[in-house]
Amino acid sequence: MDTLSSTQPVFAPVLAALATMQSHDNQSEKLQAHEFLEKFQKSTEAWPLTHAILQSPTASSEAKLFAATTLKGKIVYDIHQLPRQQLEGLRDSILSLLAIYRSGPRPIRIQLCVCLANLAILMIEWKDVLEVSVNALGSGDTQNGSSILEFLRILPEEFAEGRKITLTDEELKARSIELLEENGPKVMQLLIQYSQSVSASFKNPQLMQCITSWLREVPVIDIVTSPLLDTIITGLSSDDSFESSIDCLCAIFRETRDDSLDSIKILYPKILALRPKIAQAAEAQDMDAFKGITRLFSEAAESWVILIAQMPSDFQNLVDAVLECAALDQDRDAISLTFNFWYEMKIYLVLEKYIEARLQFADVFSKLVGIIIKHLEFPTPEDGDQLDLFDGDRDLEEKFREFRHQMGDVLKDSCEVIGVTECLGKSFSLIQNWIATYGSQITDTSIPAWQSLEAPLFSLRAMGRMVEKSEKIILPQLMPLIVQIPPHEKLQFAAIMVLGRYTLWTSEHPELLEGQLNFIINGFRHPSADVVRASALSLKYLCTDCSEHLGGHIVQLQALYDNVLDSLPSQSKDEVTEGVAKIVAAQPIDKLYDMMKLYCDPLIARLMEKANSAKSDPEKLAVADHVQLLTIFIEIVNPYIDPSQENPIVKYCGNMFPILSTIVDNFMDSFPICERICRCWRYMLISYRTGMLPLLPALADKLVTSFAASRQGCFLWATGTIVREFSESRELVDQNTSDAIYDFFEQQALTMLRALNDLPPKDLPDVIEDFFRLATDALLYYPYKFIASTLCANIFSAALAALTLERQEPLIATLHYLRDFISYGGLNPPNSNGVDNPPEVQQAIQKILEQNGELLVQRILTGMMFSFPRDCFTDASGVLLGLLQVIPAHTAPWIGKTVQMLPAGTVSVQESEKLMMSINQRIHENDHKKVRSILQDFTNSYRRRNVAPRDGLGQLEASRFRFSG
């Protein structure tokens, strides 16, 4: 594109806006500058002005990078703004700019290469892309070579971003064959020529990156049999190209996964020859080199893992090299790179057909267990400060904790390969050795080398899931030792967590239960909050798995529960409550009411005391958290009671209900309290179903009055549970009850519609989410009453109003409702009664859609193009698919009208015509799912080109929901 120096004043506002963005001016000026630059990037004026800035001798590097980035966006998204005959001039100008920037700055050169690559993809009439680019950019010297290598690297990568390219799938596939597949051999020759003509080519990371980029387009055998392989390997000796050479080799390994034995035979000896670099890097403490070499061997082994299983003797040295990497990683920064290989290896070795490999590599996995346990050790602080093992580095401490759990997964893999007994035996042996070595040196203030005892304890916890309840070799000897662990914070924490991990095993060995229970209970007295939390968690698991053995301790545990509850953090309160509730649930039915009173009466007394004094938000939150403890009992203590008999837990719920109702009345403005009480009521309904019939009228009345007074969605959430549990299709629910439940739903719907009439949807997002989940349930369980209701059309209108929201959760709830609602206009709706959809129901739905469908299409399409979160797209396009299946003759014109209403210049006439032609063709072929795909592609493309909503939406702007009922 030709530009004149006289355009300098024209792009001065752009430079001024960029300067404002980079300055310390006030926020409003920066916002104005940002808006100006956004509009500039999408304007037709950006085409000549970006070139002018890039050619300007006075513009800053930042301004030129902005111009190059803007030009890339113009090519990707706005190529329709240029007549096709101007594309050749655009290509030549980009090539000229690349010549200017061949020596840098590199970020600008990269952006220009991306421009050229995308233009090459979109300009399908350009047939000699490789020849023109090479001739223009050159490949003989290192400077021009940088540009051509950059372009060649980027070209395949941009094809991988195919969804943002405005070509059809067929055009994109054809262009891929033309530019990549057919040019692969030529690119190979260019790269070989470059590597041989430039003596230091092995030091150039761009060469390695280019080879990596073309690996999918060129047979891997062509690369490994060419001089390029030695160039890549030699690149490992250069600091400049080390990382890119590692990347390239790992990419080559991945390409040899499938039936590439000839390539592997060439690669294998060359890779093994690099094994001395492992020890060299470890000895030199060069962690970057060590991580790179570890990655190299791990990825090779991972890529060839099935061959390793098939030919274990041939690949023994490679597996040993990976093990060596794990063993020599003193800083524990590289070993995680080996984890996936051990996992993949395990998958094959546990198969009977690979038993030979399993036997051969048993010694490797046995050594691996020892290496892992050693790496599990906490660090020993250099200054001897045992209270701060990580010298105040909390990020390093958190990283170590996460890392330990990853290593635990490797221990589980090892258990599957060499057996649980051998792995447990290694941990047990280390514990015995520690006791023999240091046991006599323990004092009240000092426990020597505690790290070497804590690590095998942690390993036991990590392997717990793999241990069968029938294990009788190691654990019977080990468990008595665990409960004698000395009272060091981290040791006691580890020991208690081990006991919590083996509770299923303990349930089969109740003779050891007493000691473990006492050890865990003693943990509640420890001054460390971590040990107390561990005790709470382990008590939960012990009570859960050993509940049938703990009946004799139920009174003792209630005393403990009552004593420690107030001192526990919130999560630990929940965990301990879950545990003791499991013991209550295991009691005989004739004792359940008394046991509930024993445990829950003190909770209710505490709850009323907290509620009577709660004034501040933290105090109200404490009330809500305490309600959660009662909910846990309701959820867990759920015995089967014959419907003809009174349920003792429902009887107790009858005692609770007026107390909870009073708390709701007093804290109507507290969302946490109302939400937790609604949750408690929901679990009463879910746990005891028709047993709750005596309480149902009072509960329904409370939900209606509470929602009307508070407009909090949690009351609709609880309403939905009643709708589901007492619907027409449920057993033991008579018709009168079912009819009353539907009337109850309509009362809630009426209140909701009035709320939407008073307030815009943006003020009620959470309530809208809960309402449309409720409406979806009502439609599912009472479809014919719902559709015949006078509120049906109003609820549909409310859904249209809700589509103006931009929050994901309420939008998804609304879209789910709309999809289900529209499906009743067809033959197969998702109803719960399993009968065919009557014609009169189909006609009623179609009538509503014909009256409101045009607005629905507008809301859905504009939402997908402008405002919907990405995760809403599937359901939004599902609504369009439903409309196309139910009323296709109306839907296609509505789509066309919506596209025509988009802001001028955002969609070309040709693009609009092409879209509607494709849609009409697919509708004619009855291929509605393809129409859905076409619309998703169109809206995605439009959204990328127009990242934010633009001015001038006009008729597409939302109107307020109105309801006069």
Side-chain angles (χ1 to χ4, degrees), residues 536-824:
L537 183 62
S538 293
L539 182 64
K540 179 185 96 167
Y541 290 131
L542 194 71
C543 293
T544 298
D545 294 329
C546 303
S547 58
E548 61 189 46
H549 302 301
L550 288 170
H553 296 269
I554 193 165
V555 176
Q556 173 197 357
L557 285 171
Q558 193 281 326
L560 170 73
Y561 179 63
D562 197 47
N563 186 46
V564 304
L565 190 64
D566 289 336
S567 63
L568 295 176
S570 180
Q571 183 176 347
S572 295
K573 287 180 182 178
D574 291 353
E575 290 166 349
V576 173
T577 303
E578 285 181 48
V580 294
K582 289 286 187 180
I583 301 177
V584 172
Q587 301 309 299
I589 291 175
D590 60 347
K591 292 184 178 181
L592 281 179
Y593 182 79
D594 291 336
M595 289 300 102
M596 283 291 286
K597 282 185 66 65
L598 176 67
Y599 274 87
C600 293
D601 277 2
L603 289 180
I604 291 175
R606 274 191 179 91
L607 177 62
M608 290 191 292
E609 181 183 343
K610 290 176 182 290
N612 287 334
S613 61
K615 298 291 187 290
S616 65
D617 287 343
E619 289 172 333
K620 292 177 183 178
L621 190 59
V623 172
D625 288 343
H626 212 73
V627 172
Q628 172 65 13
L629 304 182
L630 292 169
T631 304
I632 290 170
F633 275 97
I634 299 299
E635 182 181 359
I636 292 175
V637 185
N638 180 14
Y640 173 75
I641 305 294
D642 189 275
S644 63
Q645 298 178 2
E646 181 185 34
N647 188 318
I649 312 302
V650 173
K651 178 182 176 182
Y652 191 80
C653 289
N655 300 341
M656 291 169 51
F657 182 75
I659 297 170
L660 296 179
S661 296
T662 302
I663 293 174
V664 165
D665 291 338
N666 293 335
F667 293 94
M668 197 70 75
D669 61 342
S670 173
F671 173 77
I673 291 177
C674 292
E675 189 273 339
R676 291 297 175 85
I677 289 178
C678 284
R679 190 172 191 273
C680 186
W681 287 339
R682 284 185 74 248
Y683 273 103
M684 289 180 187
L685 295 162
I686 292 168
S687 295
Y688 315 126
R689 291 198 60 248
T690 52
M692 282 289 292
L693 279 170
L695 295 180
L696 196 57
L699 177 55
D701 183 63
K702 176 53 66 176
L703 292 174
V704 168
T705 57
S706 297
F707 179 58
S710 70
R711 291 180 175 176
Q712 293 209 40
C714 56
F715 298 106
L716 298 178
W717 181 43
T719 300
T721 306
I722 294 179
V723 169
R724 287 193 298 275
E725 296 299 333
F726 295 91
S727 65
E728 293 175 311
S729 59
R730 295 290 188 178
E731 294 180 23
L732 305 176
V733 177
D734 61 56
Q735 189 61 46
N736 290 336
T737 300
S738 179
D739 291 343
I741 296 302
Y742 181 76
D743 292 340
F744 162 54
F745 158 72
E746 286 213 339
Q747 284 182 279
Q748 299 289 59
L750 193 62
T751 303
M752 180 66 191
L753 294 172
R754 288 170 179 159
L756 274 173
N757 186 65
D758 296 340
L759 295 170
K762 65 182 179 62
D763 291 345
L764 298 165
D766 295 328
V767 187
I768 285 173
E769 177 188 355
D770 289 318
F771 174 70
F772 281 107
R773 293 196 189 284
L774 169 61
T776 302
D777 285 336
L779 181 62
L780 175 64
Y781 293 106
Y782 297 89
Y784 307 133
K785 289 180 180 177
F786 186 102
I787 293 167
S789 168
T790 56
L791 295 181
C792 179
N794 293 305
I795 294 173
F796 186 86
S797 297
L800 294 177
L803 292 177
T804 61
L805 293 169
E806 297 182 11
R807 277 182 48 178
Q808 179 175 314
E809 293 80 8
L811 277 172
I812 286 180
T814 305
L815 292 167
H816 284 178
Y817 162 74
L818 286 169
R819 293 186 70 176
D820 287 356
F821 182 84
I822 292 168
S823 69
Y824 278 91

Side-chain angles (χ1 to χ4, degrees), residues 314-584:
D314 295 330
F315 286 92
Q316 177 78 52
N317 289 335
L318 178 58
V319 178
D320 289 341
V322 179
L323 185 69
E324 183 182 358
C325 290
L328 295 181
D329 183 19
Q330 296 304 312
D331 291 340
R332 295 179 285 215
D333 274 349
I335 188 174
S336 61
L337 297 170
T338 71
F339 290 169
N340 204 49
F341 165 65
W342 302 121
Y343 170 73
E344 296 273 354
M345 182 82 155
K346 177 263 298 189
I347 289 175
Y348 290 102
L349 295 187
V350 297
L351 300 177
E352 188 65 31
K353 66 184 293 187
Y354 298 121
I355 186 65
E356 179 188 344
R358 184 175 183 175
L359 294 172
Q360 176 153 341
F361 292 125
D363 184 55
V364 169
F365 275 87
S366 181
K367 292 176 181 176
L368 178 64
V369 171
I371 291 168
I372 291 293
I373 294 177
K374 183 64 179 174
H375 282 312
L376 286 172
E377 290 185 10
F378 274 97
T380 302
E382 295 179 3
D383 59 3
D385 183 3
Q386 295 293 329
L387 298 177
D388 192 355
L389 303 175
F390 296 90
D391 298 325
D393 191 336
R394 293 295 158 257
D395 289 339
L396 182 61
E397 183 176 1
E398 185 60 31
K399 180 181 176 183
F400 177 70
R401 292 182 190 279
E402 293 176 4
F403 172 65
R404 294 180 105 206
H405 289 288
Q406 291 175 349
M407 287 195 286
D409 292 336
V410 180
L411 290 175
K412 294 182 186 73
D413 294 335
S414 302
C415 287
E416 293 193 63
V417 175
I418 61 176
V420 168
T421 300
E422 181 170 347
C423 293
L424 288 178
K426 282 188 171 292
S427 300
F428 181 43
S429 176
L430 288 168
I431 293 172
Q432 287 180 310
N433 291 341
W434 187 92
I435 293 172
T437 305
Y438 300 107
S440 61
Q441 302 176 35
I442 297 173
T443 68
D444 291 339
T445 58
S446 173
I447 299 177
W450 62 266
Q451 289 93 334
S452 57
L453 174 58
E454 193 276 343
L457 286 173
F458 183 91
S459 72
L460 289 170
R461 173 184 161 197
M463 294 184 286
R465 182 165 61 86
M466 311 305 298
V467 180
E468 297 290 339
K469 292 190 288 186
S470 57
E471 206 288 323
K472 57 186 178 181
I473 298 174
I474 303 296
L475 291 182
Q477 304 175 68
L478 180 62
M479 286 302 176
L481 290 179
I482 298 288
V483 297
Q484 299 176 47
I485 291 297
H488 179 281
E489 176 187 348
K490 285 194 162 39
L491 293 178
Q492 195 161 2
F493 175 86
I496 290 172
M497 292 298 281
V498 169
L499 296 181
R501 199 67 186 84
Y502 286 83
T503 51
L504 273 174
W505 183 88
T506 302
S507 70
E508 297 293 313
H509 301 79
E511 69 277 6
L512 298 173
L513 178 58
E514 187 84 26
Q516 294 185 31
L517 178 63
N518 290 332
F519 188 79
I520 292 171
I521 289 174
N522 285 334
F524 285 104
R525 304 187 185 100
H526 200 283
S528 166
D530 286 341
V531 174
V532 172
R533 282 194 290 267
S535 299
L537 183 62
S538 293
L539 182 64
K540 179 185 96 167
Y541 290 131
L542 194 71
C543 293
T544 298
D545 294 329
C546 303
S547 58
E548 61 189 46
H549 302 301
L550 288 170
H553 296 269
I554 193 165
V555 176
Q556 173 197 357
L557 285 171
Q558 193 281 326
L560 170 73
Y561 179 63
D562 197 47
N563 186 46
V564 304
L565 190 64
D566 289 336
S567 63
L568 295 176
S570 180
Q571 183 176 347
S572 295
K573 287 180 182 178
D574 291 353
E575 290 166 349
V576 173
T577 303
E578 285 181 48
V580 294
K582 289 286 187 180
I583 301 177
V584 172

Side-chain angles (χ1 to χ4, degrees), residues 896-917:
K897 288 179 69 174
T898 303
V899 171
Q900 291 173 8
M901 293 159 65
L902 291 168
T906 59
V907 178
S908 68
V909 175
Q910 295 88 345
E911 188 179 3
S912 177
E913 291 176 349
K914 183 178 180 181
L915 171 69
M916 294 314 301
M917 189 180 302

Side-chain angles (χ1 to χ4, degrees), residues 858-872:
Q858 290 178 13
R859 293 280 164 86
I860 294 292
L861 283 177
T862 52
M864 291 175 71
M865 288 185 280
F866 294 107
S867 61
F868 285 177
R870 183 70 56 184
D871 287 346
C872 295

